[in-house]
Amino acid sequence: MSASLANKLITVTGAASGIGLSTARLLARRGALLSLADYNKSKLSQAHEELVSVSSSQKILSTTLDIRNTQSVNDWIASTTQHFSRPLDGCANIAGFHPLWSPKSVEEVTDEEFEECININTLGLFKCLRAQLAPGIISPNGGGIVNVGSVSGLIGFAGDSAYVASKHAAHGLTKCASKEAGKRGIRVNAVAPGQTNTPMVQAMAAEKGVLPTPPVSLQREGQPEEIAEAIVWLLGEESRYVTGSIYRVDGGMLD
Ligand SMILES: NC(=O)c1ccc[n+]([C@@H]2O[C@H](COP(=O)([O-])OP(=O)(O)OC[C@H]3O[C@@H](n4cnc5c(N)ncnc54)[C@H](O)[C@@H]3O)[C@@H](O)[C@H]2O)c1
């Protein structure tokens, strides 16, 4: 087991559910100090209770916020460094949104539908990155940022243009930030999951009926813990020469 994240200060968005919650659990088990954020207050509070029980209340700070709100994001990052009296060592930007509406071709998508994906998956991510990369926020010793994109940020899917566009942009942001921040010892990577068994996908299945098995080499969907393992590896010292990468964790979907 890796010890490199013990007592490192890591922020996690989307920590109340799915891949974010699995990542927070793994980081807590590795002894990290965690600043968790999510806009689902009740689920975040449940996650907080659970994580405090495996870690300690001194090591876990939880904040309800919407990553679309610039002031909330800036205040969260500032209050995290104040609360723990130290700069950040890493950030897992995982919060994201997939629409529940049925597949729609480009000519059928409304402004509001398109904007909802972009506002969370692209602009919200941008606001987190901007706050995290501001001078003095990440340790002068360097740090790791991991954004969660998607295989939808690598290829197109008919009927899913808003989400696909928002995730392509998330990958683009990752690559630009890695080029800018590398000289400060800050690595910026993305994980691109394939279909993963989380409440997001369960809600889509409830809305649309059983989702087909994804067309992947391993012939099953992923589990959130399997995506979390990749995120935590990219946050830690073991991946110290990796930056600007988009890591597919998709069971072999695009091969
Ligand atoms: N599950 C999949 O198949 C899959 C595949 C590829 C990529 N992803 C990406 O993985 C990430 C995590 O998704 P998941 O499947 O765990 O979904 P999830 O719905 O279980 O978890 C997402 C979390 O993000 C939070 N969130 C959403 N919008 C927010 C906002 N504006 N501000 C703050 N918190 C917000 C939600 O409340 C939720 O707790 C997302 O970025 C998603 O796009 C998921």
Side-chain angles (χ1 to χ4, degrees):
M1 185 172 81
S2 162
S4 74
L5 291 166
N7 294 315
K8 298 289 185 188
L9 175 53
I10 316 272
T11 63
V12 183
T13 68
S17 177
I19 295 168
L21 177 56
S22 290
T23 302
R25 284 180 178 137
L26 189 51
L27 289 167
R29 289 208 300 275
R30 302 237 171 134
L33 309 173
L34 293 176
S35 177
L36 311 176
D38 202 289
Y39 69 2
N40 188 323
K41 191 176 177 159
S42 60
K43 283 181 79 175
L44 183 61
S45 160
Q46 274 174 33
H48 181 88
E49 294 305 314
E50 179 199 319
L51 292 165
V52 162
S53 73
V54 295
S55 179
S56 80
S57 55
Q58 284 79 29
K59 287 189 155 188
I60 316 274
L61 175 69
S62 295
T63 308
T64 304
L65 67 91
D66 189 327
I67 60 166
R68 289 172 289 191
N69 186 307
T70 300
Q71 194 62 51
S72 304
V73 170
N74 291 345
D75 289 349
W76 168 55
I77 294 297
S79 62
T80 295
T81 56
Q82 276 158 20
H83 177 87
F84 289 102
S85 303
R86 48 175 293 173
L88 307 183
D89 299 293
C91 309
N93 295 316
I94 304 176
F97 165 81
H98 193 286
L100 287 179
W101 34 270
S102 300
K104 287 183 181 185
S105 52
V106 170
E107 66 275 20
E108 296 169 323
V109 177
T110 67
D111 287 357
E112 292 72 25
E113 288 167 341
F114 200 88
E115 283 165 6
E116 192 167 21
C117 279
I118 296 291
N119 284 342
I120 297 179
N121 297 337
T122 305
L123 252 179
L125 172 65
F126 159 71
K127 289 174 182 186
C128 291
L129 282 171
R130 182 173 57 188
Q132 292 156 356
L133 288 167
I137 297 296
I138 292 185
S139 166
N141 300 323
I145 297 180
V146 181
N147 302 322
V148 171
S150 173
V151 289
S152 297
L154 295 168
I155 59 170
F157 290 95
D160 207 14
S161 57
Y163 184 76
V164 165
S166 72
K167 290 296 187 177
H168 272 74
H171 291 175
L173 267 171
T174 302
K175 292 177 194 174
C176 292
S178 77
K179 291 207 182 298
E180 293 168 4
K183 56 184 171 293
R184 293 160 57 194
I186 300 172
R187 300 179 299 107
V188 189
N189 292 288
V191 166
Q195 188 178 309
T196 308
N197 179 23
T198 67
M200 174 188 281
V201 165
Q202 289 152 12
M204 287 159 67
E207 194 73 15
K208 298 177 185 173
V210 178
L211 297 176
T213 304
V216 303
S217 307
L218 296 179
Q219 304 200 355
R220 64 171 177 83
E221 62 184 4
Q223 296 302 325
E225 298 78 14
E226 294 171 316
I227 313 301
E229 294 276 0
I231 295 169
V232 169
W233 180 73
L234 284 169
L235 285 170
E237 262 297 293
E238 292 80 359
S239 61
R240 60 190 167 276
Y241 198 56
V242 180
T243 195
S245 290
I246 313 296
Y247 257 78
R248 286 170 39 215
V249 187
D250 64 356
M253 185 171 178
L254 303 185
D255 294 322

